[in-house]
Amino acid sequence: MGKVTVGAAVVCAAAVCAAAALVVRHRMRCSGKWARAMAILREFEEKCGTPSGKLRQVADAMTVEMHAGLASEGGSKLKMLISYVDNLPTGDEKGLFYALDLGGTNFRVLRVVLGGKDDRVVKKEFEEVSIPPHLMTGSSDALFDYIAEALAKFVAKEGEGLHPSPGQQRELGFTFSFPVRQTSIASGNLIKWTKGFSIEDTVGQDVVGELTKAMERVGLDMRVAALVNDTIGTLAGGRYCNQDVIAAVILGTGTNAAYVERAQAIPKWHGLLPKSGEMVINMEWGNFRSSHLPLTEYDQALDVESLNPGEQIFEKIISGMYLGEIVRRVLLRMAQEADFFGDVVPPKLEIPFILRTPHMSAMHHDTSSDLKVVGSKLKDILEISNTSLKMRKAIVNLCDIVATRGARLSAAGIVGIIKKLGRDTVRDGEKQKSVIALDGGLFEHYTKFRISMESTLKELLGEEVSESIVVEHSNDGSGIGAALLAASHSQYLEVAEA
């Protein structure tokens, strides 16, 4: 009996030692994998670095590219498109104006009554209409007839006293957020459709002409006074509320900037100089690129696999369409090379664009002690459960790295515009205010992004200059801004002024 007991004890002790060794090995393996995951994260953080010196180089590069794009067509990755908007609203505009905002699978029609300096926007009404999928790939006439009919129905609901003066046509501002080669304030040829539209017979056509013919077909007497994009609409809306507005930036799903340039500073402009001496330039800054941009292997892979490789590089590192996708790509590498989520790579994590920027923002802003929002997002979107607190903290850190890089680079872009306009220094005794109108979901809803962008502006401009630079939220530029531009480019202005 004794011998058996001793033997059993020896076997038992050996089993305990083996189990302990397994636990130690498992812990070492785990800590080795954790170390590998953290090394991937640290390396990514280093590559995303945006120290002040680098951001100043980005701002200077933006200014240089702006000059090049203004000098000649195709002279820069920045298109620096002449918008033909040479009269921004002053606040004096009066009367009834319409706007049509077409930029995706829905369009909006708006009616605005302007009351001049004292009353400003007296009335604003709008309706949103969804476009049936078959019209997005049908014929040009079918799409524009559908839009014109919706517009005519909306006009028919004009209330008492809302009609135009006798003998005057109704006037419309048309926000068309697709690539257009503008030929005047109220004409522009479609370069190509995006966002799921594919209507061959519109390409190369004047979109204002297409809309005008459709309005005639449905018996609607209305003139398109201005063809604009959403960024220029934001600039107009901002200027209407504040005459110190000099530029507008959209930070949303995509990104763009527009600003007011001196007409004489546009070498590629060969027409008559406008009376105002000013011209709004649509930068198309999403296409900016520079060797100073902190690009990582994840950004390069995202670009190669995108629908437009080599294009929109700036947009791909700062805008809402892509931030969540960059986070997903880094998490996937951590899962593949460091078993970050366990032995199996979560299948959902391999789906491009499954992690959207609003999900990333929700995780980044999680203030609960156990980061339960992070846990629930991982479970709901990626079907990953049982994450530890330290894993969740690492994910919040990753969101912070991606958002901070985007926010700081967008600030550097704004500084580039301010430098181009010579407003990056304070002249003796001169206190000129420079207001930048901002819009877009990223700026409006991603608080940490906005705070980082605003603090970076101060950091780059310095205490004294940043006191005279103001960032203001300008809401609904693509709607009310277009109606305001119809007012400031009205055919009846001369009559009123005479």
Side-chain angles (χ1 to χ4, degrees):
M1 286 291 286
K3 279 182 183 175
V4 174
T5 307
V6 170
V10 169
V11 169
C12 195
V16 168
C17 285
L22 267 175
V23 167
V24 168
R25 266 206 302 278
H26 176 70
R27 278 192 185 143
M28 282 173 70
R29 203 167 125 251
C30 285
S31 69
K33 284 184 172 177
W34 178 259
R36 173 72 191 120
M38 291 307 96
I40 291 169
L41 193 56
R42 289 292 76 79
E43 185 190 355
F44 177 65
E45 184 170 27
E46 272 171 41
K47 294 261 174 67
C48 285
T50 50
S52 299
K54 185 179 263 297
L55 292 177
R56 288 199 173 87
Q57 289 174 315
V58 170
D60 288 343
M62 181 69 81
T63 307
V64 166
E65 290 298 320
M66 288 172 76
H67 278 282
L70 290 173
S72 62
E73 288 301 340
S76 162
K77 275 280 185 189
L78 290 180
K79 290 197 176 71
M80 302 300 283
L81 302 172
I82 291 166
S83 70
Y84 296 89
V85 170
D86 53 7
N87 286 310
L88 283 168
T90 60
D92 293 325
E93 293 77 12
K94 288 184 175 178
L96 167 69
F97 297 93
Y98 281 85
L100 166 65
D101 178 10
L102 174 63
T105 50
N106 295 335
F107 65 89
R108 285 188 309 154
V109 287
L110 294 93
R111 175 169 34 242
V112 175
V113 179
L114 304 174
K117 269 275 188 289
D118 299 327
D119 298 325
R120 295 289 169 146
V121 179
V122 178
K123 192 163 192 177
K124 175 184 157 185
E125 299 169 309
F126 73 93
E127 276 180 18
E128 192 152 325
V129 184
S130 63
I131 299 171
H134 71 274
L135 290 180
M136 293 169 67
T137 53
S139 72
S140 193
D141 284 358
L143 174 67
F144 283 98
D145 282 354
Y146 182 77
I147 292 168
E149 278 160 15
L151 196 48
K153 277 185 197 144
F154 185 63
V155 168
K157 295 176 192 164
E158 273 179 358
E160 271 307 303
L162 280 188
H163 310 300
S165 305
Q168 290 196 355
Q169 260 184 315
R170 290 178 180 85
E171 293 183 298
L172 172 96
F174 183 12
T175 302
F176 186 75
S177 298
F178 298 91
V180 157
R181 188 164 287 106
Q182 195 111 7
T183 48
S184 76
I185 181 63
S187 60
N189 300 334
L190 177 68
I191 296 168
K192 63 172 180 182
W193 286 107
T194 54
K195 309 175 201 178
F197 283 80
S198 179
I199 304 169
E200 276 312 303
D201 59 344
T202 323
V203 176
Q205 296 300 311
D206 173 17
V207 292
V208 172
E210 294 294 290
L211 177 62
T212 303
K213 285 185 292 190
M215 291 192 295
E216 285 167 2
R217 285 194 292 269
V218 301
L220 177 59
D221 183 25
M222 188 179 274
R223 169 184 169 266
V224 178
L227 172 69
V228 296
N229 73 6
D230 54 355
T231 318
I232 289 164
T234 298
L235 181 59
R239 174 68 74 94
Y240 182 70
C241 299
N242 186 335
Q243 289 298 298
D244 292 326
V245 167
I246 55 158
V249 175
I250 302 274
L251 286 165
T253 306
T255 183
N256 193 13
Y259 74 103
V260 185
E261 184 58 276
R262 288 178 305 111
Q264 282 147 315
I266 311 171
K268 69 180 179 183
W269 171 258
H270 300 304
L272 284 171
L273 287 181
K275 260 195 292 199
S276 66
E278 293 183 333
M279 177 61 71
V280 173
I281 298 293
N282 167 17
M283 289 176 63
E284 292 293 336
W285 88 348
N287 210 37
F288 170 69
R289 67 181 311 169
S290 156
S291 58
H292 299 297
L293 290 176
L295 296 173
T296 69
E297 61 198 283
Y298 306 96
D299 303 303
Q300 273 141 3
L302 185 154
D303 176 48
V304 167
E305 293 164 31
S306 70
L307 294 171
N308 53 349
E311 299 293 312
Q312 302 294 103
I313 299 299
F314 196 48
E315 180 166 86
K316 284 170 184 166
I317 52 176
I318 72 170
S319 85
M321 174 89 183
Y322 301 99
L323 298 183
E325 171 63 4
I326 298 164
V327 169
R328 181 197 71 84
R329 284 171 178 267
V330 179
L331 283 177
L332 180 61
R333 170 72 61 85
M334 288 161 74
Q336 288 168 335
E337 294 187 10
D339 293 351
F340 188 66
F341 296 110
D343 295 339
V344 180
V345 174
K348 291 269 177 163
L349 190 57
E350 303 200 52
I351 302 169
F353 293 97
I354 191 169
L355 188 67
R356 293 171 47 244
T357 302
H359 305 142
M360 166 190 172
S361 173
M363 294 194 290
H364 194 179
H365 290 97
D366 188 356
T367 52
S368 60
S369 58
D370 57 348
L371 297 176
K372 62 170 170 287
V373 176
V374 178
S376 69
K377 289 288 172 200
L378 293 171
K379 192 166 182 297
D380 296 347
I381 299 148
L382 301 171
E383 292 175 6
I384 297 168
S385 29
N386 305 325
T387 49
S388 67
L389 183 57
K390 73 174 183 174
M391 285 167 74
R392 293 176 189 188
K393 281 181 175 168
I395 290 166
V396 172
N397 187 4
L398 171 57
C399 293
D400 190 62
I401 294 164
V402 173
T404 301
R405 176 183 68 165
R408 286 175 68 77
L409 287 171
S410 48
I414 292 170
V415 171
I417 299 172
I418 291 167
K419 283 171 99 80
K420 170 70 182 73
L421 294 173
R423 290 173 177 248
D424 58 325
T425 53
V426 175
R427 294 180 186 86
D428 287 347
E430 208 180 295
K431 272 287 181 200
Q432 57 171 172
K433 269 241 181 298
S434 303
V435 180
I436 318 289
L438 263 109
D439 198 13
L442 191 60
F443 175 78
E444 197 178 346
H445 304 301
Y446 201 143
T447 309
K448 284 180 186 284
F449 185 101
R450 183 177 71 246
I451 290 168
S452 173
M453 190 202 81
E454 289 173 347
S455 67
T456 306
L457 270 177
K458 287 194 171 66
E459 175 189 326
L460 296 177
L461 292 165
E463 199 64 44
E464 198 182 5
V465 175
S466 57
E467 278 176 23
S468 63
I469 309 283
V470 182
V471 168
E472 266 183 15
H473 181 219
S474 172
N475 210 351
D476 190 27
S478 55
I480 201 154
L484 292 168
L485 285 164
S488 64
H489 290 83
S490 166
Q491 63 188 331
Y492 305 114
L493 271 183
E494 308 300 322
V495 181
E497 286 166 5

XYZ file of all heavy atoms in Angstrom, residues 19 21 47 56 65 99 115 134 203 255 306 383 425 458:
103
model
N 1.705 20.516 -15.385
C 0.609 21.489 -15.563
C 1.121 22.908 -15.323
O 0.807 23.836 -16.070
C -0.538 21.163 -14.614
N 4.172 23.923 -15.608
C 5.048 24.299 -16.721
C 4.221 24.739 -17.923
O 4.558 25.701 -18.616
C 5.946 23.118 -17.105
N 4.917 55.523 -37.153
C 4.769 55.885 -38.583
C 3.708 56.977 -38.778
O 3.716 57.695 -39.766
C 4.372 54.644 -39.389
C 5.447 53.567 -39.434
C 6.229 53.636 -40.736
C 7.398 52.682 -40.783
N 6.989 51.280 -40.800
N 4.286 71.535 -40.279
C 4.650 72.790 -40.965
C 5.107 72.505 -42.393
O 4.815 73.259 -43.319
C 5.736 73.539 -40.191
C 5.193 74.152 -38.919
C 6.065 75.271 -38.348
N 5.320 75.864 -37.234
C 5.363 75.408 -35.987
N 6.126 74.372 -35.700
N 4.644 75.975 -35.033
N 1.544 73.752 -53.620
C 0.648 73.089 -54.584
C -0.502 74.013 -54.996
O -0.972 73.962 -56.129
C 0.103 71.780 -53.996
C 1.137 70.671 -53.854
C 1.744 70.238 -55.181
O 1.016 70.143 -56.178
O 2.969 70.023 -55.214
N -33.477 75.937 -53.966
C -32.228 75.176 -54.099
C -32.566 73.716 -54.361
O -33.577 73.198 -53.866
C -31.383 75.303 -52.832
N -34.838 88.103 -46.157
C -35.427 89.402 -45.806
C -34.419 90.524 -45.663
O -34.706 91.528 -45.015
N -33.551 52.175 -60.213
C -33.488 51.997 -61.672
C -33.165 53.308 -62.396
O -32.616 53.300 -63.492
C -34.796 51.381 -62.208
C -35.985 52.307 -62.170
N -36.778 52.443 -61.049
C -36.493 53.152 -63.101
C -37.730 53.337 -61.302
N -37.579 53.784 -62.536
N -22.879 61.882 -69.314
C -21.446 62.196 -69.254
C -21.075 63.120 -70.425
O -21.436 62.871 -71.572
C -20.601 60.904 -69.263
C -19.109 61.228 -69.301
C -20.933 60.056 -68.038
N -13.725 64.829 -48.081
C -13.220 66.114 -47.595
C -12.853 67.017 -48.770
O -12.441 66.525 -49.828
C -11.996 65.928 -46.661
O -11.587 67.201 -46.166
C -10.820 65.266 -47.368
N -8.276 50.260 -53.471
C -9.435 51.155 -53.590
C -9.900 51.258 -55.046
O -9.231 50.785 -55.965
C -9.081 52.549 -53.059
O -8.166 53.177 -53.944
N -18.473 40.482 -34.121
C -18.806 39.198 -33.470
C -17.619 38.668 -32.657
O -17.299 37.487 -32.673
C -19.290 38.174 -34.507
C -20.636 38.580 -35.098
C -21.113 37.666 -36.223
O -20.446 36.637 -36.487
O -22.151 37.987 -36.835
N 0.376 85.839 -40.361
C 1.148 86.767 -39.521
C 0.231 87.908 -39.105
O -0.741 88.210 -39.794
C 2.349 87.369 -40.286
O 1.850 87.940 -41.503
C 3.398 86.328 -40.604
N -3.942 76.078 -33.261
C -3.304 77.015 -32.308
C -1.803 76.737 -32.210
O -0.988 77.655 -32.210
C -3.953 76.900 -30.927
C -5.357 77.503 -30.859
C -5.802 77.668 -29.399
C -7.098 78.453 -29.279
N -8.269 77.786 -29.853
